[in-house]
Every structure is written in C-alpha cells, then in structure tokens.
C-alpha cells in the first residue's frame, strides 16, 4: 500500500509538472506575440518620429534664410512642450560631462 501511494504521488507530481510545462509554453507563445507587436509598434513610432524630424528640419531656416543642416543640430523637447534647436557639439560635450559625473559617483 505504501509503495502504491508513493507511485500515485509520483504520478500526480509528473502530471502536475506536465501541466505546468504546457501552461508555460502557452505563456511563452503569448509573450512572443506581445513582444512582436511591441517591436512593430516601436518601429512604426521610430518611423513617424523620423518623418516628423525630417519635416521640421525641411522647414527650418537660419538667420540668412538658408536651410538648417540636420547633421549639425538636434531638436530638444522640453517637458512643457517647448522645442529647441541645439548644436550637436554642445549636446555631446554635455553628455560626456554627465557620463564623467556618473562614473565618479560609482
């Protein structure tokens, strides 16, 4: 009887593990689909942002009426909805300073 109960518990444990594996496989497939949808959504957003960026720079002019070079400037958006055109070399130097400060703090 003890051996029979032991086999029964072992069989129940195996069945429970098989059920868990099945559930995890279903969850994995669901997460793969969600990941794929998120990746597509991110790609669409990146494309829209790129189009917007190109559209903005196509309309910008400097003091002499010449088009602003998007290779030399970036658009910085403030939390209040404001937007600024900043030379890239200024942003890179600020990023370097910020990275140096972070490394010093570590």
């Amino acid at each position: 009887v003890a051996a029979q109960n032991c086999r029964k518990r072992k069989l129940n444990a195996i069945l429970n593990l098989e059920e868990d594996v099945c559930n995890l496989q279903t969850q994995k497939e669901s997460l793969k689909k969600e990941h794929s949808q998120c990746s597509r959504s991110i790609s669409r957003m990146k494309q829209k942002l790129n189009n917007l960026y190109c559209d903005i720079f196509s309309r910008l002019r400097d003091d002499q009426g010449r088009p602003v070079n998007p290779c030399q400037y970036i658009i910085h958006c403030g939390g209040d909805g404001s937007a600024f055109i900043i030379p890239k070399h200024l942003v890179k130097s600020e990023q370097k300073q910020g990275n140096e400060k972070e490394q010093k703090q570590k």
Side-chain angles (χ1 to χ4, degrees):
V1 173
Q4 189 177 13
N5 289 341
C6 183
R7 285 190 293 274
K8 186 176 180 180
R9 280 194 306 271
K10 187 170 189 125
L11 184 60
N12 284 338
I14 290 171
L15 292 174
N16 287 338
L17 288 172
E18 287 175 348
E19 185 178 328
D20 289 346
V21 167
C22 185
N23 290 338
L24 289 171
Q25 286 173 337
T26 303
Q27 184 180 3
K28 179 182 175 183
E29 290 302 316
S30 174
L31 289 172
K32 278 184 178 180
K33 287 179 185 177
E34 184 180 349
H35 180 268
S36 178
Q37 290 172 346
C38 289
S39 294
R40 284 193 302 271
S41 178
I42 288 170
S43 294
R44 284 192 301 268
M45 285 183 195
K46 283 182 179 180
Q47 185 60 45
K48 286 180 180 181
L49 183 61
N50 188 45
N51 292 344
L52 181 60
Y53 192 83
C54 291
D55 185 45
I56 289 171
F57 270 102
S58 72
R59 298 169 188 234
L60 289 176
R61 300 288 183 255
D62 65 8
D63 295 337
Q64 287 81 33
R66 297 176 298 200
V68 174
N69 187 349
C71 295
Q72 296 176 349
Y73 295 89
I74 64 163
I75 300 171
H76 176 75
C77 299
D80 61 353
S82 61
F84 303 98
I85 306 300
I86 302 173
K88 281 188 177 180
H89 70 274
L90 291 178
V91 174
K92 288 180 182 177
S93 64
E94 287 178 12
Q95 286 176 345
K96 286 180 184 176
Q97 290 174 356
N99 289 341
E100 289 172 0
K101 287 180 183 178
E102 286 178 14
Q103 288 175 355
K104 287 179 182 178
Q105 289 176 353
K106 289 179 181 179

